[in-house]
Amino acid sequence: MGNYLIVTADDFGLHESVNEAVEQASRAGILNAASLMVTAHATKDAIRRARMLPNLGVGLHVVLADGWSTLDAQLIPEIADPTGRMHSDMFRKGVRFFFKSGARRQLEAEIRAQFAAFARTGLTLDHVNVHKHFHIHPTILNILLEVGRDYGMPAMRVPHEPFWFAARSAGVLPGLAQASLSPWIALMKHRLRRARIFHNDRIFGMAGSGAMDEAGLLAILARLPPGVSEIYLHPATESGSAITASMSQYRHAEELDALSSLRVRAALNAVAVRGGYAEVMRAVGRSLA
């Protein structure tokens, strides 16, 4: 099997400077895909730009924490506060999703509303992932598979980062924390295969989220293994809290510089196939035929 690579920008629609960076990086030929937040402040601007970028695969970035709900907050009090804000207390939410049937019904309703909002954009659905990788939670994964089937979901991100890169980005302990997710990752891959949903083999960018600079991309490309890899970033023309308060330490502009790097572009020439999920899925299918 050859090496296949998807380079994705998350949080498309979060801020106009994110959207501008996605457009620049797509036109530069390094960025292949973007994951759209359907309820963010600059979503309309992101959709407008996406329609002008034929080489950009656009997927749905489901938001269940640290973002705004699609449904009226009164309908989903287990998920959102009265203003519609979904806070980042993922552990407490995760426990509720396990044990409270009412919370699960609200969760399904919100996920379905986000899929419907994406469908209304008229964009082709390239992939699905979840903000902060909350779909590691088996209840959320169950609902995504059920709802995604109704909307023709073709592919989903698996947040499986190799230990060597996680440790390089954030140290040995975060690397071990990533490794501890292995049983959940194995279950996720098994369930996606059973549902015939295409997925990546591994991802780069979790432990180093917000700090994926040129050196990091070059390190990945120097050791890119066979199979389907995804690199995801958070590029923007501004950085940190200018985008949102929860990203005060993110170096968005450096990530955009990495996606504009001539050295990175040269290293990418060694990759067998690059594209969005749909393009890579077709290429993998041809290689197996």
Side-chain angles (χ1 to χ4, degrees):
M1 188 177 190
N3 53 359
Y4 304 84
L5 180 62
I6 304 157
V7 181
T8 307
D10 277 3
D11 300 345
F12 194 31
L14 179 62
H15 193 279
E16 286 195 5
S17 65
V18 174
N19 301 345
E20 174 62 26
V22 168
E23 180 173 352
Q24 288 183 24
S26 176
R27 294 191 186 281
I30 294 178
L31 188 71
N32 312 125
S35 302
L36 178 69
M37 292 174 151
V38 294
T39 62
H41 296 306
T43 296
K44 289 183 179 179
D45 177 68
I47 294 167
R48 177 186 63 81
R49 293 173 191 263
R51 289 173 177 155
M52 301 185 296
L53 299 170
N55 296 321
L56 185 73
V58 181
L60 171 61
H61 196 49
V62 176
V63 178
L64 301 171
D66 191 25
W68 299 96
S69 66
T70 306
L71 296 175
D72 188 290
Q74 294 181 354
L75 299 174
I76 50 170
E78 296 281 0
I79 299 175
D81 69 17
T83 70
R85 181 74 180 175
M86 297 183 287
H87 294 302
S88 298
D89 188 353
M90 294 167 62
F91 177 80
R92 187 174 298 177
K93 281 185 175 181
V95 171
R96 288 203 297 268
F97 296 155
F98 263 127
F99 294 109
K100 297 183 69 172
S101 59
R104 290 193 295 274
R105 286 193 296 271
Q106 293 175 32
L107 177 65
E108 179 176 355
E110 175 61 27
I111 289 174
R112 189 171 293 277
Q114 292 190 33
F115 270 89
F118 187 95
R120 289 194 295 271
T121 69
L123 299 170
T124 300
L125 182 62
D126 182 72
H127 61 272
V128 172
N129 54 50
V130 180
H131 193 45
K132 298 185 179 296
H133 309 293
F134 210 174
H135 57 312
I136 290 177
H137 193 300
T139 301
I140 296 174
L141 179 61
N142 288 347
I143 295 171
L144 284 171
L145 290 174
E146 292 174 7
V147 175
R149 182 172 57 243
D150 296 338
Y151 285 90
M153 176 176 67
M156 185 184 293
R157 172 189 290 166
V158 171
H160 178 205
E161 185 162 60
F163 171 79
W164 74 265
F165 188 75
R168 177 192 182 278
S169 301
V172 172
L173 289 180
L176 291 173
Q178 294 291 329
S180 72
L181 297 174
S182 294
W184 299 107
I185 296 298
L187 176 62
M188 178 182 287
K189 288 183 176 181
H190 172 71
R191 299 208 57 206
L192 290 174
R193 286 193 296 269
R194 286 187 59 188
R196 298 188 177 183
I197 302 297
F198 184 74
H199 63 83
N200 56 310
D201 297 310
R202 68 199 63 84
I203 196 166
F204 298 93
M206 292 178 66
S209 188
M212 295 288 285
D213 56 13
E214 180 190 66
L217 295 192
L218 291 173
I220 295 165
L221 294 172
R223 295 181 59 173
L224 194 69
V228 179
S229 299
E230 180 181 7
I231 303 172
Y232 82 101
L233 305 93
H234 299 84
T237 57
E238 301 177 75
S239 288
S241 55
I243 306 300
T244 185
S246 63
M247 293 181 171
S248 60
Q249 302 301 313
Y250 277 39
R251 304 199 302 268
H252 298 85
E254 288 185 34
E255 296 202 352
L256 175 57
D257 289 343
L259 289 170
S260 308
S261 164
L262 295 178
R263 294 179 66 197
V264 170
R265 191 179 306 177
L268 283 168
N269 291 332
V271 178
V273 176
R274 294 189 292 121
Y277 268 88
E279 188 173 351
V280 167
M281 182 168 54
R282 287 192 295 269
V284 171
R286 287 194 297 269
S287 72
L288 298 176

